[in-house]
Amino acid sequence: MERPIRVLVAKPGLDGHDRGAKVLARALRDAGMEVIYTGLRQTPEQIVEAALQEDVDVIGLSCLSGAHNHLFPRVTQLLKEKQAEDILVLGGGIIPEEDIPGLLAAGISAVFTPGTPTSAVIDYIKEHVKR
Amino acid sequence: MITEKEPMKPTDWAERVASGDRRALARVISFLENDDRQGVEVLKELYSRTGRAHVIGITGPPGAGKSSLLDKIIGELRSQGKTVGVVAVDPTSPFSGGAILGDRVRMQGWTGDAGVYIRSMGTRGSLGGLARATYGTIQLLDAAGFDYVLVETVGVGQSEVDIVRVADTVVVVTVPGLGDDIQINKAGITEIGDVFAVNKADLPGSERVATELELMLDLGNHQIWRPPVVLTVAATGQGVSELVRAAQDHYTTLQKEGKLAERRLAREKEALLLRLVERVRREILSIWAQKELSELWAALSARRLDPYTLEENVYKAWKGAKDE
Amino acid sequence: MAEEKDLRKAKEAWEQGTLAKVTARFPERKAEFTTLSGMPVERLYTPLDTAELDYERDLGFPGQYPYTRGVQPTMYRGRLWTMRQYAGFGTAEESNERYKYLLEQGQTGLSVAFDLPTQIGYDSDHPLAQGEVGKVGVAIDSLADMETLFAGIPLDKVSTSMTINAPAAVLLAMYIAVAEKQGVPSRKLSGTIQNDILKEYAARGTYIFPPKPSMRLITDIFAYCSQNLPEWNTISISGYHIREAGCTAVQEVAFTLANGIAYVEAAIRAGLNVDSFAPRLSFFFNAQMDLLEEVAKFRAARRLWARIMKERFGAKDPRSMMLRFHTQTAGCALTAQQPDNNIIRVTIQALAAVLGGTQSLHTNSRDEALSLPTEESVRIALRTQQIIAYESGVTNTIDPLAGSYAVESMTNRIEKEAQAYLERIDKLGGAVAAIEQGFIQREIQESAYAYQRAVESGERIVVGVNKFQVENEQPPEIHKVDPEVERRQCAKLNELRANRDNGKVSQVLAELREAAKGDDNLMPYILESVRAYATLGEICGVLREVFGEYQPAVIF
Ligand code: B12
Ligand SMILES: Nc1nc2c(ncn2[C@@H]2O[C@H](COP(=O)(O)OP(=O)(O)OP(=O)(O)O)[C@@H](O)[C@H]2O)c(=O)[nH]1
Ligand SMILES: [Mg+2]
């Protein structure tokens, strides 16, 4: 049996929009992944530490409150500090088109915006997990 | 990065785990979960360092508040200056093989604390309320130097009592309002508990559950330890320090009476036996699909061959395969 | 009943004759038709489906029990609904400008959106506020900001709705204090605070304190306002967010009214007479895409609430039984793809709200799924309401869809199914217990996931998303929040802390702390605190110390 991919689905910042994150968590589970959900109001530090303790393959950051430019790069930066760049980091939520290049440059592998089918996220993860 | 170009040797992993390297610990747990041989090799290196942690198992029906209680138990232990490793097991979906590991979210407040390590785990097909990798993980956490190792089982029904095979102290969590269909005595959990928590004591009926438990426990034959019953409210932390004290008393009693080593040895032996049986089971399964056998199935079906002779034949075939 | 029998026969004959002939050659598009919420929809509704409806008992007349047909006797023939666009961003200065613009455009009430730190009781310089200040609403740290927010807006002339929940008492106190400075007595203030903590736990996420002290703050507000702000809606019991989190129409009605029941019970337990506060309870619903289902939902909610207030709580004042509500069109129905299509969606949703008899309405903008709306988009959204109001003709007669076999039948069904949920929730110990046990959250999530799967499988069509897509869409201009807001806001806050009477601040906060430990009404203490320019974060900090913080029940 192939080992299940482990994913941390996280809600950084004060944003309370969790519908998308929870739908995604379930979809990933139904695709055979092990999903750990952090709950709301997480700091980048907490997210990275949880990801390391859980030895996840993927961190999924969901943010709809507009704080992504502040929060997402902080997560990738901390991962770098911990030498954990082998964790794939995805972002999703309300992310304006023009912010995406900056996030990609900061080490977010891909950004998914409203209307994306969860199957696209699943395919992306399966194709891109780094280990 | 942890995926070094040069593959690390078990001794290196062991050293890193023992020195408190969180990433190494996390990765070795993954080896165990994924049946990667490296995991066991590391455990071999570390076994001599185990035996120091007090292992507390938390079990009880789904939604009883095990994780919420754990959150508060961690707090109590931290305020005593102790370090805590946690393994929390949730069920894997038999359909997709995936899982939502939902225990961590209740303890997520501890994530920044250097004295706490939390690991979530899916059962991945195990039925006893734990995952196959749970025991090894406990040993790793023990070797990594945590004073306490807390293990949360999946929400158990009647027969998932593997926790007694891994814990020094088993805390059984129950709640009021489970209804008559899940009576505590039927669940067989009175036999496995060293400490009982009646959680959600803020809800009506908890006193009654506690009394029933006490009565039931009075019937038991307790040599050195009579399991206490503690009322708790995980939401507020009420009763938690009492609960922790009870678990600690249980542990010191075991130590004082010389039962701890006995209990652990029995556990180790049982685990060993299970591993051996599992190993044999797998080997037998590997010849199960062989051609030679499939011819015999027809004979069995047509009643030309009896199953007992067949058993002899399969056994011999397995032994033959072994001796080759 | 002879008629009924005849009709049944006639219907069968039609089914086996005329209909069967056609369906044999041209089968219907689907085997089963359902509403957006998954409620089965019949091919045809006839008087057979509304046979048990008793006009006077179940529908009655507008402004009369059970209010199915509306809460006012003349409805929109008398006065149109209040057009109220939810807005706020950046600093108090910027939001103040937007409000003045909206009032100039013919909007008739204000609706304030606060940023997340404000909603969660943190000052703008709190570490967790980083990156969030002024992003999704206006940042308010102290009375000084509130003074700026309403500068030049006479508070006795506008009605103001504030989407504020956990710290509602603090923002209300600030509003009262601003009015004082304008020389407007609190008796003259009209408006609404959302103040609905239960749906924050269940669906919206800006909770602070655990349920018990939160309910106390709410009943303190009820009591204070019944004495001092008779025109103020002390709570807006909200199904909107629950629906947006993914639930069905029936669940929206059920969970909202269950929360309503919990508030009424809490207030009665706190010693209030039901008719002293119930007339000031208001509601807030969603208007989704399925027009008929939505109209039925509003009507069912009105009837059900009236019955609950009369039968369960023994209310005597008719106003206690009237379910008055604000409506917002469904944001989650709006798409990032081909955003102009959203204008049409909003039109249908707004029409549902009006046909359902709403008292006030927010229409979402076409850029809903992209960012906060631009000024131009907000204008189109407001124009949509104005076109319905002045051109469509639906406002000329009251409750025009009444008597439709389909709508009456759906109204009955929604009421019945919501009632069944209410019974289940009662069994669990009421809404607070149901939320603590995660029951409501689980129900919402199941529905949200089912919807997502239906869209992904193509079973449910969303135009532009899973059908009729276009390649290479050009992203439209979107609203941007000035990234400097946070720095400016923190600077203002530092200045405030340096210039106010800090001795006075510690004194009022100490008094607040003591009061919080006891059981005095907290409103007067909070009012004293804001008058002394204690910040929102300081006030909530004191309450956090005494009350603790809510631990969410995350459920899958
Ligand atoms: C539903 C909703 C709500 C609900 C949330 C319910 C809940 N529990 O989630 C309610 C009504 C409570 C709500 C409240 C608010 N909302 Co709102 N809300 C929305 C809305 C309409 C839809 C979001 C949604 O759930 N969609 C359905 C889910 C399934 O889609 P999704 O989250 O986008 O997720 C998909 C993708 O984005 C992606 N994805 C998302 N996360 C992730 C993560 C990873 C790792 C990956 C790979 C993919 C991924 O995959 C998902 C599947 O397709 C959006 C507008 C819109 N149409 O998008 C506004 C919107 C997000 N809200 C907004 C605002 C401002 C608020 C408030 C802050 C308003 C206020 N000032 O009070 C409040 C406060 C909420 C809070 N506590 O933070 C703004 C945000 C503006 C901005 N960022 O600039 C929006 C954009 C509306 C607008 N245009 O003004 N909201
Ligand atoms: N009223 C009350 N509710 C509680 C208490 N403890 C936990 N809960 C609630 O019970 C629910 C389940 O709590 P968990 O801690 O997840 O229970 P669990 O036993 O870990 O659940 P599983 O791991 O899924 O088996 C949550 O909604 C908690 O908020 C308590 O003492 N009183
Ligand atoms: Mg648990």
Side-chain angles (χ1 to χ4, degrees):
Chain A
M1 190 184 81
E2 231 182 285
R3 78 178 176 91
I5 295 171
R6 284 169 72 87
V7 186
L8 185 80
V9 175
K11 288 288 306 171
L14 297 180
D15 180 26
H17 293 92
D18 59 3
R19 176 176 174 171
K22 285 177 167 173
V23 160
L24 184 71
R26 283 184 175 224
L28 298 181
R29 176 202 50 197
D30 290 349
M33 301 184 196
E34 287 184 346
V35 183
I36 299 131
Y37 175 60
T38 61
L40 302 179
R41 300 188 200 171
Q42 298 295 304
T43 62
E45 286 75 11
Q46 282 176 308
I47 292 169
V48 167
E49 180 59 27
L52 296 185
Q53 291 185 10
E54 297 289 356
D55 194 31
V56 295
D57 306 282
V58 184
I59 299 177
L61 300 169
S62 175
C63 180
L64 285 78
S65 71
H68 50 271
N69 283 339
H70 178 80
L71 295 164
F72 289 8
R74 183 87 190 110
V75 169
T76 45
Q77 183 201 334
L78 285 166
L79 285 173
K80 198 180 242 165
E81 282 168 21
K82 305 260 177 185
Q83 300 180 337
E85 296 115 300
D86 56 336
I87 299 178
L88 183 73
V89 186
L90 307 180
I94 300 288
I95 319 279
E97 208 49 53
E98 61 185 60
D99 291 352
I100 293 177
L103 295 176
L104 298 182
I108 307 294
S109 295
V111 174
F112 297 86
T113 51
T116 326
T118 52
S119 56
V121 179
I122 292 162
D123 292 344
Y124 185 91
I125 290 177
K126 285 187 173 159
E127 219 168 283
H128 292 84
V129 266
K130 297 182 189 170
R131 35 179 260 253
Chain B
M1 215 176 285
I2 198 138
T3 38
E4 242 89 334
K5 300 281 172 302
E6 291 283 299
M8 291 212 321
K9 293 199 299 290
T11 45
D12 300 331
W13 284 114
E15 214 167 281
R16 286 176 65 176
V17 169
S19 72
D21 178 337
R22 293 290 180 88
R23 281 220 84 196
L25 171 64
R27 183 56 51 88
V28 178
I29 295 174
S30 296
F31 291 155
L32 292 173
E33 285 202 279
N34 298 332
D35 282 331
D36 182 326
R37 234 1 247 182
Q38 292 184 81
V40 171
E41 295 304 320
V42 178
L43 281 181
K44 286 182 189 168
E45 298 294 327
L46 287 172
Y47 187 71
S48 62
R49 304 177 61 96
T50 63
R52 289 181 289 196
H54 177 186
V55 182
I56 304 179
I58 319 276
T59 190
K66 299 180 290 296
S67 308
S68 312
L69 266 180
L70 261 180
D71 179 56
K72 291 294 192 301
I73 293 172
I74 297 171
E76 178 66 22
L77 291 171
R78 291 299 290 142
S79 71
Q80 296 179 5
K82 307 294 185 194
T83 57
V84 187
V86 177
V87 196
V89 189
D90 268 316
T92 295
S93 156
F95 306 107
S96 69
I100 289 181
L101 307 177
D103 296 323
R104 183 182 189 97
V105 71
R106 306 215 185 276
M107 313 170 217
Q108 180 63 2
W110 295 106
T111 295
D113 184 333
V116 179
Y117 174 94
I118 301 169
R119 178 62 175 241
S120 313
M121 214 169 249
T123 51
R124 299 196 187 174
S126 289
L127 297 176
L130 298 177
R132 252 183 307 122
T134 306
Y135 192 44
T137 302
I138 295 168
Q139 291 179 322
L140 279 175
L141 293 169
D142 187 350
F146 289 99
D147 300 322
Y148 283 81
V149 177
L150 309 180
V151 185
E152 177 181 340
T153 71
V154 302
V156 295
Q158 313 231 336
S159 52
E160 301 99 331
V161 291
D162 274 0
I163 190 68
V164 294
R165 302 204 177 96
V166 305
D168 301 321
T169 304
V170 174
V171 176
V172 173
V173 183
T174 177
V175 282
L178 288 180
D180 292 335
D181 43 335
I182 320 179
Q183 277 169 25
I184 336 171
N185 54 338
K186 275 201 200 130
I189 50 177
T190 35
E191 277 116 74
I192 66 167
D194 300 307
V195 177
F196 290 85
V198 178
N199 190 38
K200 308 200 184 183
D202 50 330
L203 300 182
S206 48
E207 297 283 349
R208 216 197 63 222
V209 174
T211 314
E212 280 170 15
L213 263 174
E214 294 281 10
L215 286 175
M216 219 129 46
L217 288 166
D218 282 343
L219 298 177
N221 170 26
H222 310 290
Q223 308 263 315
I224 58 161
W225 176 257
R226 157 65 160 77
V229 179
V230 186
L231 286 165
T232 60
V233 181
T236 61
Q238 182 194 315
V240 170
S241 47
E242 209 185 328
L243 180 67
V244 169
R245 203 169 333 113
Q248 290 172 330
D249 283 350
H250 174 250
Y251 189 70
T252 33
T253 305
L254 285 183
Q255 272 178 324
K256 247 195 352 247
E257 303 285 330
K259 297 284 181 195
L260 183 65
E262 203 177 287
R263 193 165 168 156
R264 286 178 168 174
L265 179 61
R267 216 159 73 192
E268 214 50 85
K269 279 165 73 179
E270 191 173 344
L272 179 59
L273 187 60
L274 281 178
R275 279 201 305 279
L276 286 168
V277 171
E278 174 61 20
R279 206 161 163 166
V280 172
R281 192 178 77 92
R282 283 195 202 186
E283 280 175 9
I284 293 182
L285 280 179
S286 73
I287 60 165
W288 199 244
Q290 280 173 7
K291 255 240 196 69
E292 293 85 338
L293 269 174
S294 64
E295 285 158 20
L296 297 179
W297 298 145
L300 180 68
S301 176
R303 295 196 152 54
R304 272 183 280 116
L305 182 65
D306 71 275
Y308 307 101
T309 310
L310 186 53
E311 178 187 330
E312 291 296 319
N313 293 351
V314 175
Y315 182 74
K316 278 182 193 141
W318 168 65
K319 283 214 74 166
K322 284 233 69 75
D323 299 340
E324 263 165 29
Chain C
M1 285 292 100
E3 268 170 61
E4 199 183 312
K5 233 182 183 169
D6 290 347
L7 184 55
R8 188 162 313 217
K9 262 207 197 119
K11 191 180 171 208
E12 272 166 27
W14 170 76
E15 279 170 346
Q16 284 153 17
T18 315
L19 175 70
K21 253 187 265 158
V22 172
T23 49
R25 284 181 50 210
F26 308 107
E28 291 179 329
R29 285 184 293 115
K30 293 188 263 187
E32 270 182 12
F33 287 74
T34 57
T35 63
L36 177 63
S37 299
M39 200 166 73
V41 182
E42 301 301 327
R43 173 181 302 114
L44 185 76
Y45 292 86
T46 66
L48 292 171
D49 298 286
T50 55
E52 78 289 20
L53 197 75
D54 176 328
Y55 185 87
E56 284 190 54
R57 183 194 62 199
D58 299 325
L59 299 180
F61 292 92
Q64 280 183 8
Y65 188 83
Y67 304 101
T68 312
R69 305 209 58 185
V71 292
Q72 293 115 1
T74 59
M75 287 304 291
Y76 308 131
R77 290 164 65 101
R79 198 174 70 83
L80 292 168
W81 62 91
T82 304
M83 300 181 191
R84 201 194 282 281
Q85 299 295 92
Y86 185 38
F89 52 84
T91 57
E93 286 87 353
E94 287 171 274
S95 295
N96 177 262
E97 269 171 43
R98 176 70 69 101
Y99 296 154
K100 288 179 173 162
Y101 168 82
L102 286 166
L103 291 170
E104 270 162 34
Q105 292 298 309
Q107 176 166 307
T108 47
L110 292 179
S111 174
V112 182
F114 297 99
D115 72 357
L116 290 170
T118 306
Q119 295 191 48
I120 303 174
Y122 292 128
D123 284 336
S124 297
D125 58 359
H126 190 281
L128 282 172
Q130 273 181 40
E132 312 267 14
V133 177
K135 281 274 158 58
V136 292
V138 57
I140 300 292
D141 290 319
S142 74
L143 178 58
D145 295 326
M146 203 71 160
E147 288 163 5
T148 312
L149 187 66
F150 293 105
I153 300 174
L155 297 190
D156 51 347
K157 300 272 161 27
V158 292
S159 88
T160 303
S161 160
M162 292 189 273
T163 299
I164 195 74
N165 293 279
V170 185
L171 275 298
L172 176 61
M174 288 182 184
Y175 193 78
I176 296 170
V178 173
E180 276 167 7
K181 300 210 160 176
Q182 289 188 358
V184 176
S186 66
R187 306 200 68 78
K188 285 210 164 156
L189 295 177
S190 80
T192 309
I193 42 175
Q194 200 161 71
N195 200 22
D196 171 9
I197 198 66
L198 294 177
K199 65 89 178 58
E200 295 296 329
Y201 302 140
R204 190 168 177 277
T206 65
Y207 42 75
I208 306 178
F209 315 113
K212 240 205 210 109
S214 296
M215 294 300 268
R216 168 191 173 188
L217 280 168
I218 291 169
T219 52
D220 281 358
I221 293 173
F222 287 2
Y224 182 85
C225 290
S226 74
Q227 299 298 314
N228 303 289
L229 283 86
E231 296 297 299
W232 196 266
N233 296 316
T234 51
I235 192 167
S236 169
I237 306 164
S238 305
Y240 179 77
H241 316 87
I242 301 176
R243 186 72 181 278
E244 286 289 289
C247 79
T248 65
V250 166
Q251 290 169 335
E252 180 187 358
V253 172
F255 301 158
T256 311
L257 299 197
N259 290 348
I261 290 170
Y263 295 124
V264 172
E265 282 175 345
I268 291 174
R269 260 201 311 276
L272 301 178
N273 176 288
V274 67
D275 287 318
S276 76
F277 65 87
R280 296 318 309 170
L281 303 179
S282 66
F283 288 81
F284 176 13
F285 288 111
N286 199 302
Q288 256 286 4
M289 287 306 297
D290 193 316
L291 185 94
L292 300 181
E293 177 174 55
E294 292 301 285
V295 175
K297 174 190 79 181
F298 297 123
R299 303 173 82 245
R302 259 196 307 270
R303 184 160 75 204
L304 190 50
W305 185 246
R307 288 177 170 161
I308 290 167
M309 290 310 287
K310 185 171 179 175
E311 288 160 21
R312 179 168 180 160
F313 293 112
K316 300 274 181 313
D317 186 341
R319 292 176 309 151
S320 299
M321 304 170 207
M322 289 180 198
L323 180 142
R324 297 171 298 121
F325 64 99
H326 172 67
T327 305
Q328 181 168 336
T329 57
C332 62
L334 305 188
T335 62
Q337 294 72 21
Q338 305 174 38
D340 285 346
N341 294 346
N342 292 330
I343 300 173
I344 294 101
R345 293 194 176 95
V346 169
T347 308
I348 294 170
Q349 298 167 341
L351 187 61
V354 171
L355 292 171
T358 194
Q359 276 57 64
S360 62
L361 179 61
H362 165 106
T363 34
N364 283 326
S365 299
R366 59 181 168 176
D367 36 16
E368 171 74 13
L370 300 172
S371 68
L372 290 184
T374 62
E375 208 157 87
E376 195 193 338
S377 302
V378 178
R379 192 173 56 230
I380 297 174
L382 181 58
R383 295 290 180 257
T384 305
Q385 295 196 39
Q386 291 161 338
I387 290 170
I388 293 173
Y390 297 104
E391 301 184 20
S392 76
V394 297
T395 52
N396 297 335
T397 183
I398 299 167
D399 190 23
L401 295 191
S404 146
Y405 306 124
V407 171
E408 293 298 358
S409 161
M410 286 184 190
T411 304
N412 288 347
R413 182 170 182 142
I414 292 174
E415 184 187 14
K416 211 174 287 158
E417 290 185 8
Q419 179 71 48
Y421 260 117
L422 288 177
E423 278 157 27
R424 271 174 86 180
I425 292 167
D426 276 338
K427 278 218 186 81
L428 292 173
V432 178
I435 288 166
E436 281 178 329
Q437 291 161 40
F439 170 76
I440 305 226
Q441 297 91 312
R442 186 175 293 118
E443 290 287 310
I444 298 171
Q445 277 163 226
E446 293 292 341
S447 301
Y449 192 47
Y451 177 79
Q452 180 77 18
R453 276 187 316 199
V455 172
E456 293 195 15
S457 70
E459 185 189 313
R460 203 165 276 289
I461 303 294
V462 182
V463 173
V465 173
N466 61 1
K467 207 169 182 168
F468 314 116
Q469 299 98 319
V470 293
E471 298 277 309
N472 299 326
E473 274 191 70
Q474 282 309 308
E477 270 301 306
I478 59 169
H479 173 93
K480 274 185 226 97
V481 177
D482 180 0
E484 281 296 283
V485 165
E486 187 160 326
R487 203 190 43 76
R488 281 208 306 273
Q489 189 66 21
C490 290
K492 264 202 296 185
L493 184 58
N494 281 334
E495 211 182 293
L496 175 96
R497 290 213 183 97
N499 296 326
R500 64 184 181 182
D501 178 350
N502 281 308
K504 175 82 183 161
V505 171
S506 343
Q507 181 213 324
V508 290
L509 289 178
E511 285 166 11
L512 174 64
R513 182 176 293 109
E514 283 318 300
K517 289 179 191 158
D519 46 29
D520 276 5
N521 190 315
L522 290 179
M523 269 310 285
Y525 296 92
I526 293 173
L527 201 48
E528 274 313 300
S529 304
V530 306
R531 283 190 186 119
Y533 293 91
T535 66
L536 173 76
E538 289 162 349
I539 295 171
C540 292
V542 164
L543 297 178
R544 276 185 158 98
E545 260 172 55
V546 179
F547 295 157
E549 294 200 44
Y550 176 67
Q551 297 302 320
V554 182
I555 292 297
F556 277 98

